[in-house]
């Protein structure tokens, strides 16, 4: 048995008089200087070097190969010296030291030829082919790889044959069909020989090919299989490349922040194993993701870092690629002259077609912003031509959009619209191939809102109102429609794999266990298979204009459909008589968002996150009581409510912008119904409080209800009446106690009004028609059991909204001492798992109608209750005051009974409270004396009806 290599290399220690302890263990032998060490053989050094290289220990592997070269020359072992040079070449390729790699591989090939070693010659040709590939010389790469392929076939080296086939499939000029044929051929060989590592690499390449072709669902499946195989094979080098591919898949679905997590995981591995080209790829990918998040200065820094590393490789192909990305970063920070010059330099090097079409598109943007529209159109057209020839759906819609924007600037709206519709057709093809998970579909929709805005703008310019309205409907709430259709069809498919879930959990620093089924107490309400990833396997069709007209007729309503673009807002009006119109309003998205914020009723401005804590009251947040003392107005959520003149100005301005331009197309009859389809910041706006020039609120003229899209009514229609036998039955869940957040330093105050609220409502109902769960009885198990077959479900409690963790938003329930915190809340995730029969759910708590705004609507409690089967929801748009809410809710139930109009009942309740406030008839008892509330929308306009009216 040979001695371990680290012992054999102690010659220098012996020569210097240092005694290796292991050579003298238990022995009284002669002095160490008299011992003649055994030199390792060439075969030993090669075996150790290859093992270290497989373990990505590049430094020690290089030492072994260097030693093998010297030893082979001593032994006149030509084949051994050739293998050592080839090993050094492999290391230098991995380190992106291409000049050194070429020198070593050329020596290896020459020595293999001298030794008449056909297998070695084939291996040398393979390495020369890979080197040429990395340098971007695909003509030389093809020649060398085909020579290698012939050699491996002749020698019966199946695994190496499959490896070469894999390398050939990377040819950028190869068609997708031929590429797939090669991948399948290599997969067949890999399976025959049981090479899981090679099989894993092939699945990754196939997944990347599916991604480029726009089949994201197939791409995810292949990448999952690749990750599993590579983990089993222990191939961290290749596994890191899979993480990059998974990151790119998340970015394409609109989640660049999640993509960065994957990229950083890959980068860490690549730095550890010395994969310099992989390091460059991951740093570049982080730059791409930051660009997608519009963090352009940070993106520029990453691109510059990647370019600096690329220059060290000497690979002109890699340098050009990174130079192009850096140029695009300069465009994003408006340095168009600099960016254009760099792009021209890159294109002069004739990059691969897939890269060229991106650079032409970017160059077109630069020219266009510099005012050179003819040059911009030429570059954009070249980008479209290359993308069409390559069949890449992922890039084609971007190229078409870029050309459309140039044509629009040139005043050719009709031709621009042709390109936009071609791009939208591509988007629809991609949409049908998305990963069947709700959050990924939502992200995809978010990432293409600008294209829909451009289409709506162009249709408006061409006076094509019906077509523009159709496009607006196609651009909103599509993931939600898919989700509802999936639930309707009861055809749920698998979500993300355990691999991705585990990776994302590790990235957050903790392992996540599989989610338990919501409501696991055994309630029949639990839908089997419900999980936090919300499987969405159906691709639903949005409503066309004719069906929107029919919907308006069924609802006896006029539909107001809003679309908020960056620079303007579009208001579509759909009447039941078939009259259609669209009006462009000169108000930008940022301005609308600012106005909406000014209407909010919390002194903290209702921050973007749901978990905001109260801020110090200012002079506008007090009401005088007897004796001249001033008291702050506090909401149900413990926030200080804001009352100011700025609010009234905002209400008036919003009326002027959103209602007045279309007022002549709205119904004349008082109490007529308006169906509001909001978009963007308008999801946070209570239209009821919009104030006209005569100081009349919109609710005084119309009844209102809201929906994230017109198409949602095709799912709610069949559920709009009670689906249980017998008379209606109500469930009231009231939690008057305070609520302490263990994880956040926040204590939600007691709600004494909720007990009064449910008591007042129950007095309006027939005895025996309702169930009350109050205080101690409002425990999770009891609540879940009581939800079954109720006509109306009313929660009067605290709510907490978490924008970035929407599934963890919750309604507070009664907990008991020592209980799991999860028992004290009904989460959004659990609501998605319910199967409700209720005709109406009332969420009498703060901000229950809010959540993160996306192109798909609001991600919050209301979305979950729709999915659970409820056609109508009453929810709040801001923090609501406890006592006025009691009056509002009791009046609502007094005005409404099941099978009647909920929207008009809510209007009646709001008008009743409005009139009482105007008359000074709403007072609070405080320790300082009675407090009379002033008239302000903050007290009565916060609740909105969403869904069926």
């Amino acid at each position: 048995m040979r001695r371990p290599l680290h012992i054999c290399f102690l010659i220098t220690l012996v020569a210097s008089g240092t005694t290796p302890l292991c050579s003298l263990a238990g022995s009284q032998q002669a002095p160490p200087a008299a011992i003649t060490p055994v030199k390792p053989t060439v075969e030993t050094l090669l075996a150790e070097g290859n093992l270290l290289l497989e373990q990505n220990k590049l430094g020690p592997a290089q030492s072994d190969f260097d030693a093998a070269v010297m030893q082979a020359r001593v032994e006149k072992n030509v084949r051994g010296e050739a293998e050592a040079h080839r090993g050094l070449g492999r290391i230098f390729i991995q380190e992106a030291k291409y000049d050194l790699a070429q020198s070593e591989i050329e020596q290896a090939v020459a020595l293999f030829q001298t030794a008449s070693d056909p297998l070695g010659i084939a291996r040398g040709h393979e390495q020369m082919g890979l080197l040429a590939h990395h340098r971007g010389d695909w003509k030389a790469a093809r020649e060398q790889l085909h020579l290698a392929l012939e050699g491996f076939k002749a020698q019966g080296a199946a695994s190496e044959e499959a490896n070469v086939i894999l390398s050939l499939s990377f040819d950028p000029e190869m068609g997708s069909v031929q590429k797939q044929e090669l991948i399948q051929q290599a997969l067949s060989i890999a399976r025959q020989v049981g090479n899981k590592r090679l099989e894993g690499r092939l699945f990754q390449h196939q997944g990347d090919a599916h991604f480029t072709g726009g089949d994201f669902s197939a791409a995810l499946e292949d990448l999952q299989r690749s990750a599993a195989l590579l983990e089993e094979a222990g191939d961290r080098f290749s596994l890191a490349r899979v993480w990059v591919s998974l990151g790119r898949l998340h970015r394409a679905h609109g989640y660049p922040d999640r993509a960065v997590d994957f990229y950083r995981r890959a980068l860490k591995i690549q730095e550890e194993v010395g994969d310099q080209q992989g390091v460059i790829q991951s740093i570049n990918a982080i730059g791409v993701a930051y660009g997608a998040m519009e963090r352009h200065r940070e993106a520029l820094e990453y691109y510059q870092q990647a370019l600096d590393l690329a220059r060290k490789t000497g690979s002109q192909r890699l340098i050009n690629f990174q130079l192009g990305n850096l140029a695009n970063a300069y465009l994003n920070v408006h340095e168009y002259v600099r960016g254009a010059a760099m792009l021209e330099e890159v294109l002069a090097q004739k990059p691969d077609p897939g890269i060229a079409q991106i650079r032409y598109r970017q160059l077109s943007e630069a020219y266009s912003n510099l005012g050179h529209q003819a040059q911009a159109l030429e570059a954009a057209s070249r980008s479209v031509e290359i993308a069409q020839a390559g069949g890449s759906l992922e890039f084609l819609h971007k190229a078409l959009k870029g050309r459309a924007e140039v044509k629009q600037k040139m005043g050719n709206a009709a031709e621009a619209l042709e390109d936009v519709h071609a791009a939208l057709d591509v988007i629809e093809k991609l949409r049908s191939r998305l990963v069947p998970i709700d959050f990924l579909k939502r992200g995809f929709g978010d990432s293409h809102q600008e294209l829909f805005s451009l289409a709506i703008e162009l249709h408006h310019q061409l006076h094509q109102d019906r077509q523009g309205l159709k496009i607006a409907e196609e651009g909103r709430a599509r993931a939600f429609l898919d989700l509802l259709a999936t639930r309707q069809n009861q055809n749920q498919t698998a979500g993300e794999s355990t691999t991705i879930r585990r990776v994302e959990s590790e990235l957050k620093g903790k392992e996540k266990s599989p989610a338990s089924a919501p409501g696991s107490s055994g309630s029949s309400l639990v839908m089997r298979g419900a999980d936090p990833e919300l499987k969405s396997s159906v691709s639903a069709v949005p409503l066309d204009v004719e069906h929107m007209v029919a919907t308006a007729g069924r609802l006896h309503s006029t539909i107001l459909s809003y679309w908020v673009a960056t620079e303007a807002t579009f208001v579509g009006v759909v009447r039941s008589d078939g009259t259609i119109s669209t009006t462009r309003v000169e108000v930008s998205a940022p301005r609308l968002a600012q106005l909406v914020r000014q209407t909010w009723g919390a002194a903290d401005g209702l921050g973007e996150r749901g978990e905001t804590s109260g801020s110090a009251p200012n002079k506008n947040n007090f009401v005088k009581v007897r004796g001249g003392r001033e008291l702050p107005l506090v909401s149900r959520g413990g926030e200080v409510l804001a009352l100011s003149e700025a609010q009234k100005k905002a209400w008036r301005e919003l009326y002027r912008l959103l209602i007045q331009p279309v007022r002549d197309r709205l119904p004349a009859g008082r109490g007529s119904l308006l169906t509001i389809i909001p978009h963007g910041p308008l999801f946070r706006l209570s239209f009821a409080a919009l104030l006209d020039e005569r100081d009349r609120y919109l609710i005084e003229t119309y009844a209102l209800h809201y929906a994230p899209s017109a198409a949602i009514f095709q799912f709610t229609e069949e559920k709009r009446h009670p689906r249980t036998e017998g008379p209606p039955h109500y469930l009231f869940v009231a939690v008057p106690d305070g609520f302490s957040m263990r994880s956040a330093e926040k204590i939600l105050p007691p709600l004494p009004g909720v007990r009064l609220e449910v008591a007042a409502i129950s007095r309006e109902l027939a005895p025996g028609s309702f169930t009350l769960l109050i205080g101690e009885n409002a425990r999770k198990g009891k609540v879940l059991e009581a939800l079954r077959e109720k006509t109306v479900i009313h929660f009067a409690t605290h709510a907490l909204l978490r924008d970035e963790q929407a599934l963890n938003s919750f309604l507070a329930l009664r907990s008991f001492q020592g209980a799991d915190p999860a028992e004290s809340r009904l989460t959004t995730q659990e609501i998605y798992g319910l199967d409700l029969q209720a005709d109406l759910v009332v969420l009498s708590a703060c901000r229950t109608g809010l959540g993160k705004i996306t192109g798909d609507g609001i991600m919050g409690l209301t979305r979950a209750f729709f999915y659970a089967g409820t056609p109508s929801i009453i929810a709040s748009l801001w923090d609501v005051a406890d006592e006025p809410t009691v009056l509002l809710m009791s009046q609502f139930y007094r005005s409404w009974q099941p099978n009647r109009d909920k929207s008009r009942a809510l209007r009646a309740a709001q008008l009743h409270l409005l009139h009482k406030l105007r008359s000074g008839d709403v007072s609070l008892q405080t320790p300082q004396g009675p407090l009379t509330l002033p008239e302000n929308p903050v007290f009565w306009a916060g609740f909105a009806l969403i869904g069926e009216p």
Side-chain angles (χ1 to χ4, degrees):
M1 180 182 296
R2 71 178 179 86
R3 289 181 293 172
L5 189 60
H6 67 275
I7 296 177
C8 299
F9 273 105
L10 291 174
I11 302 171
T12 54
L13 294 178
V14 173
S16 66
T18 303
T19 305
L21 298 178
C22 58
S23 65
L24 299 177
S27 171
Q28 299 294 327
Q29 301 295 326
I35 297 175
T36 302
V38 177
K39 290 185 177 181
T41 65
V42 173
E43 287 72 19
T44 296
L45 290 167
L46 289 173
E48 291 286 352
N50 283 318
L51 180 61
L52 290 166
L53 182 54
E54 289 297 315
Q55 296 171 346
N56 295 296
K57 298 176 181 178
L58 304 187
Q62 183 176 340
S63 297
D64 280 351
F65 287 134
D66 282 334
V69 169
M70 301 302 296
Q71 185 65 20
R73 288 174 181 171
V74 171
E75 297 178 7
K76 300 188 183 322
N77 184 340
V78 178
R79 184 186 176 282
E81 184 180 353
E83 283 289 357
H85 281 298
R86 190 175 76 87
L88 289 168
R90 291 170 63 200
I91 290 173
F92 291 140
I93 288 177
Q94 188 164 325
E95 293 178 331
K97 298 175 181 177
Y98 298 138
D99 290 339
L100 290 173
Q102 181 163 346
S103 174
E104 295 294 337
I105 297 168
E106 285 176 348
Q107 291 182 70
V109 172
L111 289 167
F112 280 131
Q113 289 172 340
T114 300
S116 300
D117 183 348
L119 189 58
I121 293 170
R123 289 170 176 164
H125 284 309
E126 180 186 18
Q127 294 304 122
M128 290 295 289
L130 293 176
L131 178 59
H133 162 58
H134 286 304
R135 283 182 152 168
D137 185 355
W138 262 99
K139 181 178 178 182
R142 288 186 208 101
E143 180 181 340
Q144 292 293 329
L145 290 172
H146 279 294
L147 288 171
L149 187 61
E150 293 172 7
F152 289 138
K153 283 182 177 178
Q155 296 300 310
S159 286
E160 292 178 284
E161 177 188 348
N163 263 313
V164 174
I165 293 171
L166 169 61
S167 299
L168 282 168
S169 69
F170 283 96
D171 189 336
E173 297 181 11
M174 183 177 293
S176 58
V177 175
Q178 187 180 1
K179 184 174 293 191
Q180 280 295 327
E181 290 174 351
L182 286 179
I183 293 172
Q184 291 304 314
Q185 182 182 345
L187 272 171
S188 176
I189 296 172
R191 286 167 180 153
Q192 287 173 13
V193 299
N195 189 332
K196 293 187 180 297
R197 177 187 178 190
L198 177 56
E199 190 178 353
R201 291 177 60 213
L202 285 160
F203 272 119
Q204 188 216 348
H205 184 37
Q206 182 168 271
D208 287 343
H210 282 310
F211 175 88
T212 302
D215 193 343
F216 296 156
S217 182
L220 177 62
E221 183 179 345
D222 284 337
L223 292 173
Q224 289 172 352
R225 295 173 72 178
S226 172
L229 287 163
L230 293 171
E231 281 185 314
E232 185 178 349
D235 186 355
R236 298 177 71 227
F237 178 96
S238 299
L239 187 59
R241 303 292 180 99
V242 177
W243 299 144
V244 174
S245 295
L246 286 168
R248 183 174 64 163
L249 190 63
H250 277 72
R251 178 172 56 80
H253 281 81
Y255 289 93
D257 53 339
R258 292 175 182 248
V260 169
D261 291 339
F262 280 98
Y263 297 151
R264 291 195 185 281
R265 180 183 178 87
L267 180 61
K268 185 176 185 294
I269 296 174
Q270 289 157 343
E271 289 174 337
E272 290 173 355
V273 304
D275 179 8
Q276 191 64 11
Q277 188 171 11
V279 166
I280 295 169
Q281 180 191 31
S282 292
I283 291 173
N284 172 77
I286 293 172
V288 174
Y290 276 124
M293 289 186 279
E294 298 189 354
R295 294 163 63 175
H296 298 305
R297 288 292 175 186
E298 292 168 271
L300 196 151
E301 292 175 5
Y302 279 101
Y303 287 139
Q304 184 64 61
Q305 184 182 349
L307 177 60
D308 292 342
L309 292 173
R311 291 191 191 282
K312 293 179 181 179
T313 70
S315 169
Q316 194 58 47
R317 174 177 176 268
L318 195 54
I319 293 169
N320 283 347
F321 178 78
Q322 292 305 148
L323 188 64
N325 279 4
L326 182 62
N328 186 56
Y330 280 118
L331 300 186
N332 289 330
V333 295
H334 310 300
E335 295 188 31
Y336 301 117
V337 173
R338 187 174 186 177
M342 294 170 70
L343 288 166
E344 288 168 345
E345 178 186 345
V346 169
L347 286 165
Q349 299 295 323
K350 301 188 183 305
D352 297 341
I355 302 302
Q357 65 87 15
I358 297 173
R359 302 309 175 214
Y360 276 116
R361 171 166 51 84
Q362 293 165 343
L363 183 60
S364 172
E365 179 187 347
Y367 285 152
S368 182
N369 281 287
L370 290 169
H372 308 321
Q373 303 305 333
Q375 290 173 278
L377 182 59
E378 182 180 353
S381 295
R382 185 74 182 115
S383 175
V384 171
E385 290 167 6
I386 297 172
Q388 288 173 332
S392 172
L393 296 181
E394 168 63 11
F395 296 119
L396 179 56
H397 69 86
K398 296 178 182 178
L400 288 163
K401 177 176 178 284
R403 189 168 71 177
E405 289 170 335
V406 175
K407 288 178 177 178
Q408 183 190 32
K409 284 186 177 182
M410 297 176 76
N412 196 337
E415 287 192 14
L417 193 56
E418 289 179 7
D419 277 344
V420 167
H421 275 287
L424 289 172
D425 288 343
V426 174
I427 293 297
E428 287 303 312
K429 290 178 183 177
L430 290 172
R431 196 188 295 277
S432 66
R433 305 176 186 178
L434 294 175
V435 177
I437 300 172
D438 179 53
F439 88 88
L440 291 177
K441 287 187 173 184
R442 292 199 316 264
F444 179 84
D446 281 351
S447 64
H448 298 292
Q449 292 285 288
E450 285 186 4
L451 179 60
F452 286 95
S453 293
L454 178 58
I456 294 165
E457 175 74 55
L458 289 168
H459 277 300
H460 182 74
Q461 289 180 22
L462 296 170
H463 309 291
Q464 299 172 350
D465 290 354
R466 296 177 72 89
Q467 294 91 326
L469 191 63
K470 177 177 180 291
I471 293 296
E473 187 67 15
E474 289 175 354
R476 69 172 91 239
R478 296 294 297 281
F480 192 23
L481 296 181
D482 287 356
L483 195 63
L484 293 175
T486 298
R487 177 65 183 263
Q488 185 182 64
N489 291 3
Q490 295 293 303
N491 181 25
Q492 305 210 14
T493 57
E496 284 185 290
S497 73
T498 302
T499 302
I500 293 182
R501 284 200 297 270
R502 179 172 52 75
V503 171
E504 292 188 333
S505 298
E506 289 173 358
L507 291 167
K508 294 174 183 175
K510 62 181 181 180
E511 193 70 25
K512 183 162 64 175
S513 61
S516 59
S520 54
S521 61
S523 168
S524 62
L525 292 166
V526 175
M527 184 182 67
R528 294 180 181 178
D531 66 27
E533 287 154 344
L534 292 176
K535 304 155 190 175
S536 180
S537 58
V538 176
S539 185
V541 178
L543 289 189
D544 55 28
V545 176
E546 288 70 25
H547 284 95
M548 290 181 71
V549 171
T551 298
R554 178 179 74 78
L555 298 174
H556 304 290
S557 177
T558 297
I559 297 175
L560 284 177
S561 173
Y562 291 86
W563 185 276
V564 182
T566 304
E567 299 298 330
T569 297
F570 297 87
V571 188
V573 180
V574 182
R575 295 168 50 136
S576 58
D577 63 4
T579 304
I580 304 290
S581 68
T582 300
T583 301
R584 186 181 194 274
V585 181
E586 297 295 332
V587 57
S588 67
R591 174 58 178 156
L592 268 186
Q594 180 187 40
L595 287 169
V596 172
R597 278 195 298 272
Q598 290 174 9
T599 69
W600 291 336
D604 65 356
L606 195 61
E608 291 302 311
R609 293 185 55 80
E611 290 187 39
T612 53
S613 58
S615 57
N618 61 44
K619 65 180 181 180
N620 296 317
N621 311 130
F622 292 86
V623 175
K624 285 187 178 181
V625 297
R626 188 179 302 170
R629 298 192 62 181
E630 294 182 331
L631 294 177
L633 297 175
V634 180
S635 76
R636 176 165 283 188
E639 309 291 345
V640 177
L641 296 175
L643 308 177
S644 70
E645 276 303 311
Q647 286 174 306
K648 277 205 167 184
K649 290 179 181 178
W651 291 123
R652 288 193 182 96
E653 180 66 4
L654 285 165
Y655 182 94
R656 186 185 70 81
L657 293 169
L658 302 175
I659 300 297
Q660 191 166 305
V662 297
R663 186 162 58 183
D664 61 337
R665 278 153 275 177
L666 301 184
R670 180 161 295 186
S672 298
L673 183 63
L674 298 183
T675 301
I676 308 293
I677 310 293
H679 186 251
L682 299 183
F683 274 107
R684 293 184 182 268
L685 176 65
S686 173
F687 279 73
L690 297 185
L691 199 60
D692 70 14
E693 64 277 8
R694 297 179 299 165
D695 277 353
R696 180 179 290 274
Y697 292 110
L698 190 64
I699 197 67
E700 295 183 85
T701 306
Y702 297 108
L704 307 172
H705 72 128
Y706 304 76
S709 75
I712 192 177
F713 293 113
Q714 64 186 317
F715 295 99
T716 58
E717 180 180 7
E718 66 182 58
K719 300 178 180 180
R720 70 185 187 278
H721 297 305
R723 285 158 284 154
T724 56
E725 295 182 2
H729 198 93
Y730 302 75
L731 170 66
F732 297 98
V733 179
V735 184
D737 303 320
F739 191 86
S740 177
M741 294 292 299
R742 184 178 300 179
S743 59
E745 296 179 0
K746 184 178 180 69
I747 298 177
L748 303 178
L751 302 175
V754 303
R755 193 183 295 273
L756 298 174
E757 179 178 325
V758 297
I761 295 169
S762 62
R763 286 195 292 270
E764 304 296 329
L765 306 176
S769 67
F770 55 86
T771 298
L772 295 177
L773 296 178
I774 303 178
E776 289 292 333
N777 288 321
R779 295 181 180 180
K780 191 171 197 172
K782 284 189 174 182
V783 170
L784 288 172
E785 184 65 27
L787 290 173
R788 185 186 294 114
E789 297 183 353
K790 294 300 186 293
T791 311
V792 177
I793 300 168
H794 184 114
F795 288 93
T797 180
H798 283 297
L800 200 80
L801 276 294
R802 290 169 166 157
D803 287 1
E804 301 307 319
Q805 296 179 309
L807 293 175
N808 290 330
S809 298
F810 65 87
L811 295 167
L813 302 176
R814 175 67 176 174
S815 61
F816 48 94
Q817 190 172 7
D820 184 339
E823 290 300 310
S824 64
R825 60 195 67 183
L826 180 64
T827 67
T828 305
Q829 177 183 328
E830 292 170 320
I831 295 165
Y832 275 111
L834 299 176
D835 185 9
L836 300 177
Q837 304 298 312
D839 183 47
L840 173 67
V841 168
V842 179
L843 303 177
S844 182
C846 293
R847 311 185 189 187
T848 52
L850 297 185
K852 185 175 182 178
I853 295 177
T854 72
D856 216 61
I858 290 282
M859 298 300 107
L861 294 165
T862 54
R863 192 175 193 262
F865 274 110
F866 274 124
Y867 182 79
T870 303
S872 304
I873 301 161
I874 292 178
S876 59
L877 298 176
W878 53 63
D879 282 341
V880 295
D882 207 11
E883 292 80 359
T885 300
V886 173
L887 296 174
L888 180 74
M889 288 299 170
S890 60
Q891 185 62 40
F892 168 75
Y893 283 94
R894 189 175 298 121
S895 304
W896 174 77
Q897 293 295 322
N899 297 322
R900 294 184 181 178
D901 195 320
K902 309 177 189 76
S903 61
R904 289 182 173 84
L906 181 58
R907 175 178 182 259
Q910 290 175 324
L911 290 177
H912 177 77
L913 180 54
L914 171 61
H915 294 152
K916 288 180 73 67
L917 288 165
R918 282 175 173 168
S919 302
D921 293 337
V922 182
S923 298
L924 309 181
Q925 292 300 322
T926 73
Q928 290 78 20
L931 185 157
T932 299
L933 295 182
E935 189 282 300
N936 190 290
V938 71
F939 299 119
W940 58 265
F943 285 98
L945 174 65
I946 309 165
E948 289 288 325

